[in-house]
Amino acid sequence: MNQYDIIIIGAGPGGLTAGIYAGRQGTKNLILDRDLAGGLGREVPEMENYPGFDKISGLELIDKMKEQAIKNCDLHEMENVEEIIQTDDEYRFSVKTNKDIYYSKTIILATGSSHRHLNVKGEEEFKGKGVSYCATCDGFFFTNRDIVMVGGGNSALQEALYLNNLGANVTVIHRRNEFRAQKHLQEMIKKAGIRTILNATIEEIKGNLLVESVLLKDTETGELTNLPTNGVFISVGYIPHTNLAQQLGVKLDETGHIIIDKSQKTNINYVYAIGDVCIGLKQWIVACGEGAVAATSAFEDIQN
């Protein structure tokens, strides 16, 4: 029977944690993910702020979490949820995927986000030909080569450090006059001797068959300069995946993120949301905490 107490859509850090907690409550649960488990978490090159580990890669931690999750619930990878319909019976939601239809008493949305693009000339043309959004996926192609990392947050500086350790000659480009990343990461960038260019935006990515340079614009003077490079790594934020939430009538804030309360509840009864798709701090440990809360909230609501 394809009937579940809790269906979790998304197998990132939050979704996997929700599955672990849900299973230990004695409920019947299913995690669905359109890709491999881990989501963007698989791309994190190295974390130094996850409790219990001095250093650990996202891929390694996901493997550990996945192993634990499948002991507590069903996990279907590479199965895309296409539609969720509310019903009037005990199993309030009908979840249609590209492979089957499932029924559930509650839904936890852990649908995550995707990389935000620069939307400049040449970006689409050179994607996979020097333009990348994942340092751990593509970094090894750029050993001993010149690259630019675009962005000023934690992810951008973490990936810049990772690429530098691989032997790439990294230049970080940020549109503001200071980074938004944690001071610890900024200090590491300085210590590593990584070049930075502030108050600059990329206006165009140029090349022939592969990336050869970027056209930079000084945000203060408007001056344009051409910077030779072999690669462009982009880390300028994320776009939340809310199509399924909108199908259900879940409320979003002005930035397009799902609005939740302290119990991870949305405005729709028996629908919860966790992780990067929600308003709040985008951190691995936050998503995990939200997954634990959502699974517990769903269990309590089923019991009541």
Side-chain angles (χ1 to χ4, degrees), residues 59-77:
L59 187 58
E60 184 182 357
L61 188 52
I62 282 296
D63 285 344
K64 292 178 182 293
M65 294 179 70
K66 177 181 173 181
E67 183 179 354
Q68 190 174 2
I70 59 179
K71 294 177 182 177
N72 292 280
C73 65
D74 295 336
L75 170 62
H76 294 186
E77 297 173 288

Side-chain angles (χ1 to χ4, degrees), residues 219-239:
T219 58
E220 294 182 332
T221 66
E223 180 183 359
L224 297 174
T225 57
N226 200 61
L227 177 66
T229 187
N230 302 119
V232 180
F233 285 78
I234 300 169
S235 182
V236 292
Y238 304 93
I239 300 172

Side-chain angles (χ1 to χ4, degrees), residues 5-6 21-22 25-27 29 92 105-106 108 261-265 269-270 272 291-304:
D5 295 306
I6 303 172
Y21 272 73
Q25 295 166 165
T27 49
N29 317 291
R92 304 174 184 90
K105 297 176 183 178
T106 61
I108 297 177
D261 66 12
K262 290 183 178 180
S263 299
Q264 303 303 132
K265 297 180 180 182
N269 289 336
Y270 304 102
Y272 317 82
V293 172
T296 304
S297 295
F299 174 74
E300 291 175 348
D301 287 346
I302 290 170
Q303 294 302 304
N304 293 332

Side-chain angles (χ1 to χ4, degrees), residues 49-62:
N49 60 355
Y50 193 86
F53 299 94
D54 288 335
K55 290 184 181 180
I56 189 168
S57 71
L59 187 58
E60 184 182 357
L61 188 52
I62 282 296

Side-chain angles (χ1 to χ4, degrees), residues 26-289:
T27 49
K28 184 182 179 184
N29 317 291
L30 170 65
I31 304 176
L32 296 164
D33 198 295
R34 64 180 183 177
D35 210 325
L36 296 175
L40 292 178
R42 298 173 63 87
E43 300 178 7
V44 178
E46 190 173 85
M47 284 187 290
E48 295 181 308
N49 60 355
Y50 193 86
F53 299 94
D54 288 335
K55 290 184 181 180
I56 189 168
S57 71
L59 187 58
E60 184 182 357
L61 188 52
I62 282 296
D63 285 344
K64 292 178 182 293
M65 294 179 70
K66 177 181 173 181
E67 183 179 354
Q68 190 174 2
I70 59 179
K71 294 177 182 177
N72 292 280
C73 65
D74 295 336
L75 170 62
H76 294 186
E77 297 173 288
M78 309 304 291
E79 186 166 354
N80 184 45
V81 176
E82 298 175 342
E83 187 178 26
I84 305 175
I85 299 174
Q86 296 188 64
T87 66
D88 294 325
D89 58 20
E90 179 186 5
Y91 293 88
R92 304 174 184 90
F93 303 96
S94 169
V95 180
K96 178 184 177 183
T97 74
N98 60 320
K99 296 182 179 180
D100 211 335
I101 297 177
Y102 307 91
Y103 303 91
S104 184
K105 297 176 183 178
T106 61
I107 295 289
I108 297 177
L109 297 171
T111 45
S113 59
S114 57
H115 295 286
R116 189 177 298 279
H117 291 194
L118 295 177
N119 295 320
V120 298
K121 185 177 179 181
E123 183 175 5
E124 289 298 316
E125 177 185 352
F126 292 107
K127 190 182 295 182
K129 300 175 183 178
V131 171
S132 175
Y133 304 87
C134 176
T136 53
C137 307
D138 303 321
F140 63 93
F141 292 117
F142 293 89
T143 300
N144 298 322
R145 308 192 79 186
D146 295 329
I147 61 169
V148 296
M149 169 59 68
V150 187
N154 289 339
S155 295
L157 297 200
Q158 284 174 337
E159 296 199 349
L161 289 162
Y162 173 77
L163 292 164
N164 181 71
N165 288 339
L166 287 179
N169 180 27
V170 184
T171 298
V172 181
I173 297 171
H174 184 43
R175 61 193 177 95
R176 302 186 187 279
N177 62 356
E178 61 181 4
F179 293 118
R180 294 178 290 105
Q182 296 171 350
K183 292 297 182 183
H184 170 66
L185 289 171
Q186 295 185 43
E187 290 168 1
M188 290 181 68
I189 288 287
K190 291 179 181 177
K191 185 177 180 180
I194 295 174
R195 180 189 181 193
T196 61
I197 301 177
L198 301 179
N199 294 317
T201 58
I202 290 182
E203 298 296 297
E204 183 180 352
I205 300 171
K206 299 179 178 182
N208 189 7
L209 296 177
L210 302 172
V211 168
E212 295 177 356
S213 67
V214 291
L215 182 65
L216 297 182
K217 180 180 180 180
D218 188 304
T219 58
E220 294 182 332
T221 66
E223 180 183 359
L224 297 174
T225 57
N226 200 61
L227 177 66
T229 187
N230 302 119
V232 180
F233 285 78
I234 300 169
S235 182
V236 292
Y238 304 93
I239 300 172
H241 296 160
T242 57
N243 288 343
L244 295 174
Q246 292 182 69
Q247 279 184 20
L248 289 166
V250 170
K251 288 184 179 179
L252 310 179
D253 72 356
E254 64 277 4
T255 68
H257 291 80
I258 295 175
I259 299 172
I260 41 90
D261 66 12
K262 290 183 178 180
S263 299
Q264 303 303 132
K265 297 180 180 182
T266 70
N267 61 297
I268 304 298
N269 289 336
Y270 304 102
V271 177
Y272 317 82
I274 61 177
D276 285 359
V277 75
C278 301
I279 56 175
L281 183 64
K282 304 291 188 288
Q283 288 288 297
W284 192 301
I285 193 169
V286 173
C288 291

